[in-house]
């Protein structure tokens, strides 16, 4: 058993590694310039007045955030491109230089031209300045030539035009046909990201400059409480319901319960939640029986009974809305598998032995019919987490779902990716627990005689 | 079958509403006579007039709900209850209005169109992904497709090197369809190169000649498990928040891509059962090729239950779309859907009609789809 659990535990680091890759790619894909968004969050003024000061603080922040490092351990790229392209942090400039390098194929000359542009953008003549700043983000040769031709004569313009002519004359596109692999070692962004992740640093929210880890640490326990309560209730209620539905097959009880669970499974929980929130938490219909928002404030001197009452009055509606669809689903599953078990010969044997009905049901049938329930747990977890996005939104509970929703609508990417990551880890943990629990219940799995599922 | 008759009926009713949405709700008359000339404004859209309600018509036949889902009516106080007369005396607000005077019934008709379109579109995408993966995994299993080890390695290496070269150099050289053409040629060339090379080596290395099965089933099962363990809605919200301009296409695509697992899982299970049946063995002995066996003999027997699963998935997709538009994520802001009407009821709990009617339709749709699954 220990060996089996250990083997399963090995999947955990693997899954987390995979998830970290996914969430890294997500941070990478985020629209907009991450350094600039961070500058806004940090409160650095981004006016175009003083370009030099702006770019200096931009560069400093980029270095601080590791954006001047290569993205991954290795870069697979075209031989015409250098391994230092990532040092240009601004995406539009990097794109333009990349395009130029792919057009002319001769990196040293392209680099010269880029340096000339960088120098000219601080030149004394204002015309040269504006043209250089414009050209830094352009790569279309016709446009470059036309803009360079309009420059007034002078040393700055001269060097710029020479650099451009050198680049065009030195065009050599043979390198384009070759691929090249660069190895960067551990000095790369993903490595730093992963190390930060392992230390529990998830970045800083764009919205309010608080560390993401801190935001998640306040939200996660609430979601876990909500979903944990729902999960416990689901299993506490679904097991007897499902078993007795099967036991009294085709009785009036079974028919009613089947119809009700069918209905409950079809009723979208967010609709019911909306109705409940509209009618039972507002005075609109004279039925404002429940408080509207949050988890409730428990005064420090309250006894446990008062504290329980306050919490319960806030949690009863959301927990109900989270519980009933899963309850219907699990009990129907259990009914189906218990029906199969009840038809087995060993049930008849147990009856002939003289065991009472409830003994047969709970000792013999339940243990065999319960296996699917454990694996259902693994599938329920992602569903519950997703469902709590809406439930938390409707009942104003500041948990993970609310956090995700707020972050997604405010385009607060660090929070979005971190929430996806944490959700993924929770799901992996749930699946793992389900697998181990399954093996605990069923020795056949441990011995590798039956695939789990 | 008898139990599911109402379900089929209801779903056809929804599709009919979606197809005929312009004839049921809209601010253009079906037929109108202006100055002795007949117009069919819904059908042809010409002549372009600002508002047909202002045109002095000789006579006109209006749709039963003479409003557009998104047209505001600020001349009235808002939140008109059901069965109230519209201002200007033109028709009735059968199911009331919202704060901005948008007709709820028209919104529900437009929401039906969105729901049907999302449901069918995303399930088609799921089928497109799930059918090939499921049938390959189920029919061929882990050893149904056997190759010499050299051939398998050549396939893998050809894929890796071809994609590698394509991504690094071809991408820089060409764009558009030329890129795809070049990429295809490169893949074939890389594969052939490795194949010929390994064939040559295999003469002296018998290890390369031993046949191995392609582990298609294992790969598909791992993919299935990964996809199932993704909290779908969480990922949907995260992905859709990356999209700059919300559009229904993106919603349909993401729901469809995330939803391929039930189809694949079901088809795989069916084919695993069917491929062991005697009639397949008989056909194989009769000399029928493997692919023909799959398409002509195995798949037609497996496809029936899969269609039922697909019908069930229409319900899940519609639910996902309703959840997303309830949250206001991914669906364009000016698109009226069931979810967006439901969301508005949260602002004004007194307007029960905004919460009741879209939710009821959604529930009926889900129940109809679920009951198709139940009796299979």
């Amino acid at each position: 058993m220990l060996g089996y659990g250990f083997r399963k535990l090995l999947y955990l680091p693997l899954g987390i590694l995979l998830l970290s890759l996914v969430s890294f790619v997500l941070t990478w894909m985020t629209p907009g310039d991450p350094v600039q968004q961070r500058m806004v969050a940090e409160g650095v003024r981004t006016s175009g007045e003083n370009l030099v000061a702006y770019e200096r603080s931009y560069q400093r922040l980029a270095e601080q955030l590791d954006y001047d490092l290569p993205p991954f351990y290795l870069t697979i790229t075209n031989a015409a491109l250098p391994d230092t392209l990532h040092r240009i942090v601004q995406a539009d400039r990097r794109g333009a230089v990349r395009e130029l390098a792919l057009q002319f194929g001769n990196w040293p000359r392209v680099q010269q031209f880029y340096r000339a542009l960088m120098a000219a953008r601080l030149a004394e003549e204002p015309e040269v300045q504006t043209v250089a700043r414009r050209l830094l983000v352009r790569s279309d040769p016709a446009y470059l030539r036309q803009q360079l031709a309009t420059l007034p004569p002078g040393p700055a313009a001269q060097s710029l035009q020479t650099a451009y002519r050198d680049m065009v004359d030195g065009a050599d596109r043979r390198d384009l046909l070759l691929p090249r692999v660069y190895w960067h070692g551990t000095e790369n962004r993903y490595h730093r990201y992963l190390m930060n992740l392992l230390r529990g640093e998830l970045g800083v929210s764009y919205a309010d400059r608080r560390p993401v880890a801190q935001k998640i640490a306040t939200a996660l326990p609430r979601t876990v409480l909500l979903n944990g309560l729902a999960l416990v209730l689901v299993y506490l209620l679904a097991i007897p319901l499902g078993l007795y539905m099967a036991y009294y097959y085709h009785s009036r009880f079974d028919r009613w319960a089947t119809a009700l669970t069918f209905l409950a499974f079809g009723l979208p929980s967010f609709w019911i939640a909306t109705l409940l929130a509209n009618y039972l938490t507002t005075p609109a219909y004279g039925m404002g029986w429940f408080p509207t928002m949050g988890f409730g404030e428990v005064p420090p001197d309250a006894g446990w009974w008062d504290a329980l009452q306050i919490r319960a009055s806030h949690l009863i509606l959301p927990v109900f809305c989270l519980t009933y669809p899963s309850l219907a689903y699990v009990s129907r599953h259990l009914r189906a598998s218990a029906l199969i078990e009840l038809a087995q010969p060993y049930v008849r044997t147990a009856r002939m032995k003289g065991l009472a009905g409830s003994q047969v049901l709970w000792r013999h049938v339940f243990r065999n019919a319960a296996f699917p329930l454990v694996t259902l747990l693994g599938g329920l977890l992602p569903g519950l987490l997703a469902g709590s996005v809406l439930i938390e939104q409707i009942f104003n509970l500041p948990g993970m779902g609310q956090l995700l929703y707020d972050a997604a609508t405010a385009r607060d990417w660090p929070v979005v990716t971190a929430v996806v990551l944490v959700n993924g880890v929770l799901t992996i943990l749930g699946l793992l627990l389900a697998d181990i629990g399954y093996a605990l219940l069923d020795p056949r799995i441990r011995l590798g005689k039956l695939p789990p599922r | 079958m008898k139990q599911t008759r109402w379900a089929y009926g209801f779903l056809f009713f929804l599709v009919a509403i979606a197809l005929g949405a312009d004839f049921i709700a809209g601010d253009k008359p079906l037929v109108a006579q202006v100055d002795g000339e007949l117009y069919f404004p819904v059908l042809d859209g010409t002549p372009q007039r600002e508002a047909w309600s202002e045109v002095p018509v000789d006579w006109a036949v209006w749709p039963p709900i003479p409003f557009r889902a998104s047209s505001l009516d600020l001349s009235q106080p808002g939140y008109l209850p059901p069965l109230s007369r519209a201002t200007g005396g033109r028709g009735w607000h059968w199911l009331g209005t919202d704060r901005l005077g948008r007709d709820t019934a028209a919104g529900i008709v437009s929401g039906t169109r969105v729901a049907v379109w999302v449901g069918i579109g995303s399930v088609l995408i799921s089928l497109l992904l799930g059918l090939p993966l499921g049938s390959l995994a189920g029919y061929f299993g882990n050893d149904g497709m056997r190759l010499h080890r050299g051939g398998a390695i050549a396939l893998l290496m050809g894929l890796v090197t071809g994609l590698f070269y394509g991504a690094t150099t071809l991408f820089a050289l060409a764009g558009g369809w030329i890129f795809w053409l070049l990429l295809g040629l490169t893949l074939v060339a890389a594969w052939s190169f490795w194949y010929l090379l390994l064939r040559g080596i295999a003469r002296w290395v018998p290890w390369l000649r031993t046949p191995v099965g392609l582990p298609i089933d294992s790969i598909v099962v791992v993919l299935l498990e990964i996809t199932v363990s993704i909290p779908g809605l969480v990922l949907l919200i995260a992905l859709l928040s990356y999209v700059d301009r919300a559009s229904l296409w993106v919603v349909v695509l993401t729901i469809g891509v995330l939803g391929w697992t039930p189809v694949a899982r079901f088809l795989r299970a069916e084919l695993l059962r069917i491929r062991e049946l005697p009639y397949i063995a008989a056909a194989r002995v009769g000399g029928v090729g493997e692919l023909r066996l799959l398409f002509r003999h195995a798949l037609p027997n497996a496809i029936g239950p899969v269609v039922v699963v697909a019908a069930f998935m229409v319900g899940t997709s519609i639910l996902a779309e309703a959840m997303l538009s309830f949250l206001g994520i991914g669906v364009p802001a000016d698109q009226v859907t069931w979810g967006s009407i439901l969301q508005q009821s949260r602002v004004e709990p007194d307007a029960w009609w905004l919460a009741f009617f879209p939710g009821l339709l959604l529930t009926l749709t889900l129940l109809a789809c679920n009951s198709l699954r139940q009796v299979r």
Side-chain angles (χ1 to χ4, degrees):
Chain A
M1 183 56 220
L2 273 177
Y4 181 83
F6 189 70
R7 267 208 313 281
K8 281 282 162 190
L9 270 181
L10 280 183
Y11 285 122
L12 188 63
L14 202 73
I16 289 176
L17 201 70
L18 243 162
L19 264 174
S20 78
L21 259 175
V22 169
S23 76
F24 178 69
V25 171
L26 280 182
T27 54
W28 208 31
M29 284 183 351
T30 51
D33 187 336
V35 181
Q36 204 177 348
Q37 280 166 329
R38 181 62 179 267
M39 278 171 98
V40 176
E42 300 263 318
V44 181
R45 276 186 294 122
T46 53
S47 62
E49 293 291 307
N50 191 344
L51 187 77
V52 183
Y54 171 74
E55 288 201 347
R56 199 179 298 131
S57 57
Y58 185 97
Q59 194 65 28
R60 200 182 318 124
L61 193 62
E63 275 165 33
Q64 206 181 322
L65 296 173
D66 301 334
Y67 274 101
D68 58 331
L69 296 178
F72 200 61
Y73 293 98
L74 72 160
T75 314
I76 300 170
T77 181
N78 197 291
L81 296 176
D83 65 334
T84 49
L85 198 60
H86 54 81
R87 288 193 196 148
I88 305 173
V89 181
Q90 287 97 326
D92 42 2
R93 286 188 194 170
R94 188 172 60 231
V97 173
R98 197 187 131 87
E99 281 298 310
L100 283 178
L102 290 178
Q103 270 171 36
F104 298 108
N106 190 339
W107 173 244
R109 299 283 174 87
V110 175
Q111 194 180 19
Q112 255 173 23
F113 178 63
Y114 176 67
R115 288 207 174 126
L117 277 178
M118 288 297 274
R121 120 202 108 108
L122 303 173
E124 281 158 20
E125 299 94 322
E127 295 95 337
V128 179
Q129 267 192 19
T130 46
V131 166
R133 280 175 201 176
R134 209 178 296 149
L135 294 192
L136 266 173
V137 294
R138 296 296 288 259
S139 59
D140 168 24
Y143 183 78
L144 287 181
R145 212 174 314 118
Q146 183 248 322
Q147 285 288 311
L148 286 174
T150 61
L151 285 179
Q158 182 92 42
S159 69
L160 202 56
Q161 281 155 344
T162 327
Y164 180 71
R165 213 171 307 116
D166 281 353
M167 181 172 73
V168 175
D169 292 342
D172 178 8
R173 299 188 50 152
R174 273 172 301 177
D175 272 355
L176 279 177
L177 286 174
L178 298 176
R180 190 176 285 173
V181 177
Y182 297 109
W183 176 257
H184 301 291
T186 54
E187 279 298 294
N188 63 66
R189 231 158 61 217
Y190 174 68
H191 187 78
R192 294 266 177 98
Y193 177 81
L194 191 64
M195 289 301 127
N196 279 339
L197 216 62
L198 294 181
R199 277 199 297 272
E201 287 168 31
L202 295 166
V204 173
S205 160
Y206 290 156
D208 56 5
R209 273 184 274 166
R210 278 172 59 201
V212 178
Q214 195 187 330
K215 283 183 127 175
I216 287 182
T218 52
L220 188 59
R222 296 166 171 169
T223 298
V224 169
L225 172 74
L226 202 64
N227 286 308
L229 270 178
L231 209 57
V232 169
L233 270 179
V234 165
Y235 275 80
L236 271 184
L237 299 175
I239 288 171
L241 184 64
L243 278 181
Y244 283 114
M245 273 155 79
Y247 192 70
Y248 298 112
Y249 182 59
H250 266 320
S251 67
R252 186 179 294 166
F253 165 71
D254 178 41
R255 276 203 307 272
W256 273 100
T258 310
L260 276 180
T261 49
F262 179 70
L263 195 69
F265 191 54
L267 278 173
S269 65
F270 76 99
W271 182 43
I272 298 298
T274 311
L275 291 181
L276 288 178
N278 280 356
Y279 298 144
L280 298 188
T281 67
T282 61
Y285 295 86
M287 292 190 293
W289 296 327
F290 293 93
T292 332
M293 303 247 294
F295 286 89
E297 294 283 324
V298 179
D301 54 340
W304 65 271
W305 178 244
D306 291 331
L308 190 72
Q309 268 185 323
I310 293 173
R311 288 273 186 250
S313 67
H314 279 87
L315 284 178
I316 194 160
L317 290 181
V319 168
F320 168 74
C321 291
L322 277 176
T323 306
Y324 83 83
S326 306
L327 174 67
Y329 182 65
V330 172
S331 60
R332 287 176 76 84
H333 254 261
L334 185 60
R335 173 178 178 269
S337 62
L339 276 180
I340 294 173
E341 295 300 329
L342 277 170
Q344 299 286 322
Y346 72 84
V347 173
R348 209 180 317 141
T349 316
R351 285 237 174 88
M352 286 199 310
K353 226 162 62 172
L355 292 182
S358 68
Q359 268 175 316
V360 175
L361 192 62
W362 286 98
R363 288 262 178 82
H364 297 245
V365 171
F366 174 57
R367 289 190 62 172
N368 279 308
F371 300 136
L373 291 190
V374 185
T375 37
L376 272 187
L377 177 68
L380 277 184
L381 258 176
L384 273 176
L385 285 174
S388 72
V389 176
L390 284 135
I391 301 296
E392 285 176 16
Q393 174 70 18
I394 291 168
F395 290 106
N396 275 315
L397 303 172
M400 291 287 279
Q402 181 88 291
L403 189 64
L404 173 70
Y405 175 76
D406 289 344
T409 45
R411 316 211 137 196
D412 191 355
W413 311 125
V415 180
V416 173
T417 45
V419 171
V420 171
L421 185 77
V422 171
N423 262 335
V425 171
L426 280 182
T427 311
I428 292 182
L429 276 177
L431 291 175
L432 195 74
L433 285 180
D435 269 357
I436 292 177
Y438 202 18
L440 272 177
L441 277 180
D442 191 344
R444 284 172 301 182
I445 307 294
R446 253 176 284 162
L447 301 173
K449 298 275 195 260
L450 204 78
R453 235 160 284 268
Chain B
M1 194 59 210
K2 207 170 184 184
Q3 284 177 6
T4 56
R5 193 173 292 158
W6 78 270
Y8 281 110
F10 182 75
L11 291 179
F12 279 121
F13 169 68
L14 280 189
V15 173
I17 287 185
L19 288 178
D22 285 339
F23 297 95
I24 297 167
D27 54 2
K28 294 182 198 164
L30 301 176
V31 189
Q33 191 174 32
V34 186
D35 303 335
E37 240 182 296
L38 264 187
Y39 291 102
F40 298 92
V42 175
L43 282 180
D44 49 9
T46 52
Q48 292 293 337
R49 291 182 196 268
E50 282 304 301
W52 269 94
S53 52
E54 319 264 301
V55 176
V57 288
D58 302 342
W59 57 268
V61 178
W62 290 86
I65 303 161
F67 306 98
R68 208 148 41 90
S70 53
S71 59
L72 312 179
D73 181 6
L74 297 174
S75 62
Q76 44 104 327
Y79 296 122
L80 285 182
L83 294 179
S84 48
R85 190 99 199 163
T87 46
R90 189 168 59 90
W92 295 78
H93 289 298
W94 299 109
L95 299 181
T97 66
D98 67 358
R99 187 169 61 84
L100 300 173
R102 286 176 291 194
D103 187 64
T104 313
I108 281 178
V109 170
S110 132
T112 308
R113 171 175 268 183
V114 173
V116 167
W117 154 225
V118 168
I120 293 179
S122 60
V123 167
L124 281 183
I125 293 174
S126 300
L127 285 175
L128 211 64
L129 281 171
L131 284 183
L133 283 171
S135 55
L136 282 179
Y139 186 73
F140 290 110
N142 275 336
D143 46 9
M145 261 199 209
R146 299 184 77 82
L147 278 176
H148 294 289
R149 195 169 268 144
I153 293 175
L155 197 62
L156 189 72
M157 292 301 289
L159 208 63
V160 169
T161 47
L163 284 179
F164 171 73
Y165 191 74
T168 56
T169 71
L170 297 180
F171 201 61
L173 280 177
W177 64 272
I178 302 179
F179 167 71
W180 295 107
L181 183 72
L182 280 176
L183 185 66
L185 287 176
T186 315
L187 281 175
V188 172
W191 177 50
S192 326
F193 166 77
W194 282 102
Y195 185 75
L196 292 175
L197 185 78
L198 286 165
R199 219 179 125 99
I201 298 174
R203 197 174 296 166
W204 297 285
V205 188
W207 181 78
L208 284 176
R209 282 189 306 238
T210 45
V212 288
L214 289 183
I216 304 173
D217 192 35
S218 303
I219 293 172
V220 171
V221 168
V222 166
L223 277 180
L224 268 172
E225 295 207 336
I226 289 177
T227 318
V228 167
S229 64
I230 293 171
L233 194 68
V234 172
L235 197 75
L236 264 178
I237 291 173
L239 284 181
L240 288 175
S241 68
Y242 280 52
V243 178
D244 268 339
R245 279 172 49 83
S247 97
L248 271 182
W249 273 101
V250 184
V251 177
V252 169
L253 200 71
T254 25
I255 294 178
V257 167
L258 286 175
W260 64 277
T261 50
V263 176
R265 187 190 292 273
F266 217 79
L267 189 59
R268 173 176 171 271
E270 276 298 293
L271 283 174
L272 277 179
R273 185 180 62 84
I274 286 174
R275 73 171 181 165
E276 304 297 336
L277 292 181
Y279 82 95
I280 294 286
R284 187 174 287 136
V285 169
V288 181
E290 285 298 316
L291 277 182
R292 194 184 161 81
L293 262 181
L294 172 61
F295 282 112
R296 274 301 179 69
H297 297 250
L299 266 184
N301 278 323
I303 215 77
V306 171
V307 170
V308 174
V309 173
F312 171 69
M313 281 168 54
V314 170
T316 2
S317 305
I318 289 176
L319 180 66
E321 180 269 321
M323 284 176 163
L324 285 173
S325 55
F326 180 77
L327 290 174
I329 288 176
V331 182
D334 57 342
Q335 182 82 54
V336 183
T337 65
W338 294 346
S340 73
I341 300 175
L342 206 51
Q343 172 64 40
Q344 288 184 22
S345 79
R346 308 228 313 119
V347 185
E348 179 59 54
D350 274 325
W352 58 269
W353 53 94
L354 291 178
F356 183 69
F357 294 113
L360 186 71
L361 263 183
L362 183 61
T363 308
L364 286 178
T365 313
L366 291 178
L367 286 178
C369 291
N370 288 356
S371 67
L372 292 188
R373 157 87 163 234
Q374 204 187 15
V375 189
R376 60 159 184 255

